[in-house]
Amino acid sequence: MRIFEENNPKKILAINCNKCKKTIMAEDNIIKEGIFEASYRFGYFSKKDGEIHSFDLCEDCYDEITGDFLIPPLVTELKEII
């Protein structure tokens, strides 16, 4: 869950993890910790047809959830971080 500056929907002040509610602060729109951001638009043949679901997870909650996967997420390395 992203928290924006009042009257400025482009300036992120903080992010609350949707699972544990941990608050991750942002400074000058720079998030100070690792965050997993998900947004998915459900399509036809879904019980949620036409809905968009979005959430944010702190790195600990991401690790906890993906640690239970029988097939782990595909992880690739970036050559450069900009």
Side-chain angles (χ1 to χ4, degrees), residues 57-74:
L57 296 175
C58 69
E59 200 166 354
D60 289 339
C61 288
Y62 172 84
D63 289 342
E64 181 182 327
I65 289 170
T66 59
D68 290 336
F69 287 2
L70 296 179
I71 301 171
L74 176 64

Side-chain angles (χ1 to χ4, degrees), residues 9 13 15 18-19 21 23-24 30-32 34-35 45 51 55 69 72 74-75 77 79-80:
L13 298 177
I15 296 175
N18 283 76
K19 185 173 185 298
K21 295 185 179 181
T23 299
I24 292 93
I30 298 170
I31 301 163
K32 296 296 187 173
I35 289 290
F45 311 111
E51 295 179 359
F55 61 89
F69 287 2
L74 176 64
V75 177
E77 297 271 337
K79 301 285 185 211
E80 288 185 32

Side-chain angles (χ1 to χ4, degrees), residues 78-82:
L78 289 174
K79 301 285 185 211
E80 288 185 32
I81 298 177
I82 300 176

Side-chain angles (χ1 to χ4, degrees), residues 3-79:
I3 302 164
F4 296 96
E5 185 176 77
E6 192 174 328
N7 299 322
N8 187 356
K10 293 184 179 182
K11 184 166 185 187
I12 298 172
L13 298 177
I15 296 175
N16 288 332
C17 175
N18 283 76
K19 185 173 185 298
C20 72
K21 295 185 179 181
K22 176 182 178 181
T23 299
I24 292 93
M25 299 307 295
E27 186 177 306
D28 296 325
N29 261 7
I30 298 170
I31 301 163
K32 296 296 187 173
E33 293 183 41
I35 289 290
F36 177 81
E37 175 186 1
S39 182
Y40 186 75
R41 180 176 40 187
F42 286 89
Y44 295 118
F45 311 111
S46 164
K47 294 177 185 174
K48 297 170 186 64
D49 187 14
E51 295 179 359
I52 299 171
H53 290 218
S54 301
F55 61 89
D56 296 295
L57 296 175
C58 69
E59 200 166 354
D60 289 339
C61 288
Y62 172 84
D63 289 342
E64 181 182 327
I65 289 170
T66 59
D68 290 336
F69 287 2
L70 296 179
I71 301 171
L74 176 64
V75 177
T76 56
E77 297 271 337
L78 289 174
K79 301 285 185 211

